[in-house]
Amino acid sequence: MGGNVLGSAFDLRSGQLMMAALLLMVGSFYAGTLFGNKAPIYVPQPLSGSNSTSSSSSVYSSGLSAFPNKVELTYRKAPLVIPESGMDVCPLTFNEYIPCHDVNYVKELLPTLDLSRREELERHCPPPEKRLFCLVPPPEGYKIPIRWPLSRDYVWRTNVNHTRLAEVKGGQNWVHEFNQLWWFPGGGTHFKHGATEYIQRLGNMTTNEAGDLRSAGVVQVLDIGCGVASFSAYLLPLDIQTMSFAPKDGHENQIQFALERGIGAMIAAIATKQLPYPSSSFEMVHCSRCRVDWHENDGILLKEVNRLLRPNGYFVYSAPPAYKTVKEFPMIWDKLVNLTGAMCWKLIAKKVQTAIWIKQNDQLCLQRNVEEKLLNPCETTDESKPSWNVPLRNCISLSSSEAGSEKLPPRPERLSVYSKSLSKLGFSQEEFASDTVFWQEQVQRYWEFMKINEAEIRNVMDMNAVLGGFAAALNTFPVWVMNIVPISTNNTLSAIYDRGLVGTYHDWCEPFSTYPRTYDLLHANNLLAYYNNSGEGCLLEDIILEMDRILRPEGFIIIRDEESTIQRIRDIAPKFLWEVESHMLENKEKKLENVLVCRKKFWAIA
């Protein structure tokens, strides 16, 4: 559905759209510092039947800038060797390559997967020899992304040139086409008149008409099947942080749209494994037409929601079984009522196509339901282990000392919370306070080194977040931060969530679950040397290649590590088409160390 065919509710916005689009198109020519209008440098693409020399000659003679890297489909081989001409560039058809969500590789695995539980939507990483070992190119016509906050509503069409969502979801106001732009009116399947009204309705339902979601105690939300993440975008004025995810499925490129808008999201699916987030981390789990069969398999997926919810957290369910009385919907609703009742959840509101339950912190109720064989109790587990590649558990924890049971303040006060889980890991309150001050100082220096203003960075990843101090120091910046806790390090992710921040577990021996070109800044503090001698797939070149894949053109990488690792990166970075500067900063021990500030060049295939 085109941008000029909108409902009456958006008539005013239509005029605003046209004006903003006009300003964008004019501004893209005259305000490069605001929208970005730099032309890329080019790598010549070999013509069929021609040699690379003649192709290169034609590019140079046209007056275009060029570089020596070659376009060639290259797979990883041991031992790893980077060509003298630099890293090969993958052909243009691989511009959306996501190694662990590669459709062709998943097809090979289909006979071994449980399709009834949608296992094919989860991560499936190919072995190293089946991974590409070349730089992923941008699509034809790619532009430097529009900057936040304008990007919430408008992105360049050429950057995510897929029309299916606009065609099938235009009537629900997910996204509309408008000339060179995609426009996101803020709608969704269950809030086609805008997320703002829907969010206020949820606030009314959770507070008995007395307040909003913030006054209901909601600080962190997990949005399952998030679409283009408009729900998350419109929670930001309430200072509510959202971890949004959706699978790479028929809703074409929904996560790519979300990230291009500057809204935090990742590719994931709730199917057969635990989600990569700590227990008791969210005050709300949201499902708006998320296409999850919660009632199947004895409610095992609802039990995963129970694991992730903090005590007295909310499960919001906006889907046909909550309001339709035809077909199989009443049967599904009855199952949901029984399953949630067995977990001692209480249905607190049901109206306008939405039902909301609260996870009561009622150990007596849970014990009684276990005795009555209504649910299975979980065996005691080691909470220090990350939920990474862990099968779902068809049981409920009866522990009365859940990690999320302590009363936490709202944001921004929550940023200063010293989590009880840290003392178990050996981090003292003094170390926590010192870490917070350290990163506040470092962030100021980083921006000086990058020589940019705050508005030029939006999507940030801290690849080894530890205590989340880097993200906390960025709280007043117009950014969001994906905090990564590597699975083989101290499991501090619960403490990061207790600070009101969001993030995920990850193993950097594998590619991350995101589209290419999704982050403006990657921060790698004492990460790369940690993976020395970790085997195939974990070599420095592997991780650098993955960093390049997920980084936007003209994006930054800040690296602090052992001096030998810093030197190796300085040597190979130009072959990845990175510019490199070295700076000296004091570390936590007050000793000077090298800090690399790398910047990915804006290049494209000619």
Side-chain angles (χ1 to χ4, degrees):
M1 192 172 185
N4 60 336
V5 187
L6 306 178
S8 59
F10 290 93
D11 288 344
L12 177 60
R13 290 298 300 277
S14 297
Q16 294 172 339
L17 165 67
M18 294 176 193
M19 180 60 70
L22 179 61
L23 289 172
L24 272 173
M25 292 170 194
V26 174
S28 65
F29 289 102
Y30 297 108
T33 57
L34 184 59
F35 300 108
N37 64 349
K38 295 181 181 179
I41 55 176
Y42 288 93
V43 59
Q45 181 167 236
L47 300 175
S48 177
S50 69
N51 60 47
S52 59
T53 303
S54 61
S55 175
S56 177
S57 176
S58 66
V59 172
Y60 283 112
S61 63
S62 70
L64 299 173
S65 300
F67 53 87
N69 304 60
K70 298 176 182 178
V71 177
E72 188 169 332
L73 183 60
T74 308
Y75 286 87
R76 190 186 187 285
K77 296 178 182 178
L80 280 182
V81 177
I82 299 177
E84 284 298 317
S85 58
M87 284 291 297
D88 289 336
V89 173
C90 306
L92 192 59
T93 52
F94 291 88
N95 71 84
E96 291 180 356
Y97 176 59
I98 311 171
C100 296
H101 300 272
D102 180 47
V103 173
N104 292 324
Y105 180 66
V106 172
K107 283 181 180 177
E108 296 178 18
L109 302 179
L110 285 180
T112 66
L113 302 178
D114 187 345
L115 303 186
S116 68
R117 295 180 62 188
R118 307 309 305 274
E119 188 178 4
E120 73 277 10
L121 297 178
E122 294 179 316
R123 283 173 57 86
H124 299 285
C125 299
E129 66 272 13
K130 289 194 174 185
R131 299 179 196 170
L132 295 185
F133 192 68
C134 47
L135 303 178
V136 175
E140 186 176 353
Y142 181 87
K143 297 179 177 68
I144 297 299
I146 294 167
R147 292 182 186 145
W148 185 267
L150 211 53
S151 64
R152 186 195 72 173
D153 299 332
Y154 311 105
V155 304
W156 295 118
R157 181 170 172 173
T158 51
N159 289 11
V160 191
N161 199 10
H162 295 276
T163 61
R164 187 171 185 276
L165 272 186
E167 292 164 358
V168 302
K169 295 294 185 180
Q172 297 165 0
N173 287 308
W174 282 36
V175 58
H176 293 282
E177 300 177 49
F178 189 82
N179 296 333
Q180 298 182 46
L181 303 169
W182 292 116
W183 174 43
F184 301 87
T189 303
H190 272 270
F191 44 93
K192 64 181 181 180
H193 298 302
T196 301
E197 182 272 337
Y198 175 70
I199 289 167
Q200 183 55 57
R201 188 195 323 150
L202 298 184
N204 293 338
M205 294 172 71
T206 52
T207 62
N208 196 23
E209 309 293 329
D212 57 20
L213 288 179
R214 185 174 171 87
S215 62
V218 177
V219 174
Q220 288 146 301
V221 172
L222 181 65
D223 191 12
I224 297 176
C226 64
V228 296
S230 287
F231 181 66
S232 170
Y234 286 84
L235 284 172
L236 289 174
L238 295 174
D239 199 14
I240 293 175
Q241 308 299 301
T242 307
M243 173 58 75
S244 301
F245 76 82
K248 188 175 184 290
D249 63 1
H251 281 167
E252 187 179 65
N253 297 75
Q254 53 191 328
I255 294 300
Q256 190 178 20
F257 276 116
L259 289 159
E260 185 70 16
R261 297 173 70 187
I263 303 167
M266 64 182 288
I267 301 170
I270 182 168
T272 70
K273 297 184 179 70
Q274 290 183 357
L275 292 168
Y277 317 119
S279 300
S280 302
S281 292
F282 301 96
E283 285 89 8
M284 175 178 284
V285 173
H286 175 253
C287 161
S288 175
R289 272 289 179 90
C290 62
R291 304 203 300 178
V292 173
D293 293 327
W294 301 107
H295 62 290
E296 298 287 4
N297 299 301
D298 197 28
I300 193 170
L301 301 181
L302 280 175
K303 295 179 175 73
E304 173 65 356
V305 171
N306 188 83
R307 179 184 75 83
L308 294 167
L309 276 174
R310 297 186 191 274
N312 299 311
Y314 304 100
F315 177 59
V316 177
Y317 180 69
S318 297
Y323 62 92
K324 286 191 173 182
T325 57
V326 296
K327 300 181 180 178
E328 73 280 10
F329 297 130
M331 176 272 293
I332 294 173
W333 176 256
D334 288 343
K335 283 189 174 182
L336 290 175
V337 169
N338 291 334
L339 289 166
T340 54
M343 295 187 296
C344 299
W345 292 7
K346 180 182 179 182
L347 182 65
I348 61 169
K350 183 186 179 190
K351 66 178 183 180
V352 195
Q353 304 183 354
T354 298
I356 300 180
W357 284 269
I358 188 169
K359 173 188 171 181
Q360 299 181 110
N361 191 15
D362 190 339
Q363 296 298 312
L364 290 177
C365 173
L366 290 173
Q367 189 63 53
R368 181 172 62 252
N369 288 351
V370 166
E371 293 171 359
E372 294 178 7
K373 309 296 184 184
L374 297 177
L375 57 80
N376 300 317
C378 291
E379 296 180 3
T380 303
T381 57
D382 185 356
E383 289 293 333
S384 68
K385 292 184 178 179
S387 50
W388 178 259
N389 285 334
V390 177
L392 288 176
R393 308 174 73 199
N394 190 18
C395 58
I396 295 293
S397 173
L398 299 185
S399 172
S400 58
S401 57
E402 293 184 76
S405 61
E406 58 183 303
K407 182 67 176 176
L408 298 170
R411 280 175 56 97
E413 293 82 5
R414 190 175 290 196
L415 292 167
S416 302
V417 166
Y418 170 74
S419 173
K420 292 178 180 177
S421 63
L422 290 179
S423 61
K424 298 176 183 177
L425 294 172
F427 292 97
S428 69
Q429 197 149 359
E430 291 73 23
E431 287 176 286
F432 176 80
S434 175
D435 181 81
T436 299
V437 172
F438 175 79
W439 287 114
Q440 289 171 347
E441 296 169 349
Q442 301 305 297
V443 161
Q444 298 302 321
R445 298 303 305 278
Y446 285 174
W447 256 254
E448 293 172 13
F449 295 157
M450 291 188 288
K451 303 181 184 69
I452 58 173
N453 62 52
E454 292 180 3
E456 293 184 56
I457 299 290
R458 174 60 186 171
N459 299 352
V460 179
M461 176 184 284
D462 193 355
M463 299 176 68
N464 184 23
V466 191
L467 303 181
F470 177 67
L474 290 170
N475 182 56
T476 60
F477 287 61
V479 305
W480 68 273
V481 182
M482 179 71 80
N483 291 283
I484 306 296
V485 172
I487 59 168
S488 51
T489 62
N490 277 325
N491 183 5
T492 55
L493 194 54
S494 288
I496 288 171
Y497 271 89
D498 284 352
R499 298 186 78 167
L501 304 168
V502 295
T504 182
Y505 297 111
H506 187 61
D507 180 358
W508 286 114
C509 292
E510 300 177 357
F512 191 69
S513 289
T514 193
Y515 281 83
R517 303 171 301 280
T518 52
Y519 286 92
D520 300 297
L521 171 61
L522 303 177
H523 183 237
N525 179 49
N526 293 314
L527 171 77
L528 298 170
Y530 181 82
Y531 282 93
N532 285 346
N533 306 314
S534 294
E536 290 299 312
C538 308
L539 300 183
L540 178 67
E541 292 85 350
D542 294 306
I543 301 176
I544 293 293
L545 180 63
E546 176 61 5
M547 293 165 77
D548 183 86
R549 186 186 73 86
I550 68 178
L551 189 68
R552 285 173 166 175
E554 297 196 342
F556 290 88
I557 314 101
I558 298 177
I559 301 173
R560 306 174 81 144
D561 221 302
E562 295 178 358
E563 187 57 36
S564 59
T565 300
I566 291 292
Q567 185 56 51
R568 286 185 62 203
I569 296 169
R570 189 186 286 117
D571 292 341
I572 68 173
K575 297 194 175 196
F576 285 81
L577 298 173
W578 293 4
E579 298 170 339
V580 183
E581 289 184 0
S582 184
H583 301 270
M584 300 299 292
L585 279 179
E586 284 189 351
N587 58 23
K588 291 182 180 179
E589 288 73 41
K590 303 296 183 182
K591 295 180 181 178
L592 285 175
E593 67 177 8
N594 263 312
V595 177
L596 288 189
V597 178
C598 309
R599 193 171 197 184
K600 178 179 177 178
K601 294 179 180 179
F602 181 17
W603 57 268
I605 296 177

